[in-house]
């Protein structure tokens, strides 16, 4: 389950990068996105632990989820405008 979710999120992040939208994200969301690209197979909990250990950004599972909701909304908004 986390693998398909991770792959979908990687696709969303790459969409933002490919369409020059990545810089519209807040720095913390960019950080989470970059860690998702590095660890596409990790669960939210694992991702939160890795980020908290390797950076000064303390984040939990719900914070990770919240960031990916924002990423998905930006992708959906752009895709709808592009139609």
């Amino acid at each position: 389950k986390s693998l398909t979710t991770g792959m979908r999120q990687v696709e969303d992040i790459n969409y933002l990068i490919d369409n020059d939208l990545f810089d519209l994200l807040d720095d913390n969301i960019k950080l989470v996105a970059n860690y998702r690209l590095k660890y596409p197979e990790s669960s939210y909990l694992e991702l939160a632990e890795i980020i908290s250990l390797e950076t000064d950004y303390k984040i939990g599972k719900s914070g990770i989820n919240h960031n990916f909701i924002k990423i998905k909304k930006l992708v959906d908004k752009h895709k709808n405008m592009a139609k």
Side-chain angles (χ1 to χ4, degrees):
K1 182 181 165 188
S2 62
L3 185 61
T4 54
T5 300
M7 289 302 160
R8 228 179 10 257
Q9 291 165 344
V10 166
E11 285 174 14
D12 285 346
I13 294 163
N14 285 329
Y15 178 88
L16 294 179
I17 292 167
D18 293 344
N19 289 280
D20 296 321
L21 301 169
F22 193 73
D23 285 335
L24 297 176
L25 300 172
D26 295 341
D27 287 345
N28 287 340
I29 300 175
K30 283 187 215 171
L31 178 74
V32 170
N34 283 321
Y35 271 87
R36 172 52 86 203
L37 293 176
K38 275 171 56 175
Y39 303 99
E41 72 290 344
S42 295
S43 69
Y44 285 177
L45 184 61
E46 291 166 335
L47 213 51
E49 288 173 352
I50 293 166
I51 291 169
S52 294
L53 281 172
E54 293 187 4
T55 71
D56 289 332
Y57 185 42
K58 301 298 174 223
I59 189 167
K61 204 168 79 170
S62 64
I64 297 285
N65 184 49
H66 184 71
N67 284 319
F68 284 118
I69 289 170
K70 286 185 174 183
I71 288 170
K72 182 80 179 119
K73 280 183 180 173
L74 181 58
V75 169
D76 290 347
K77 183 179 173 183
H78 188 266
K79 283 183 177 177
N80 287 333
M81 286 172 44
K83 285 181 183 177

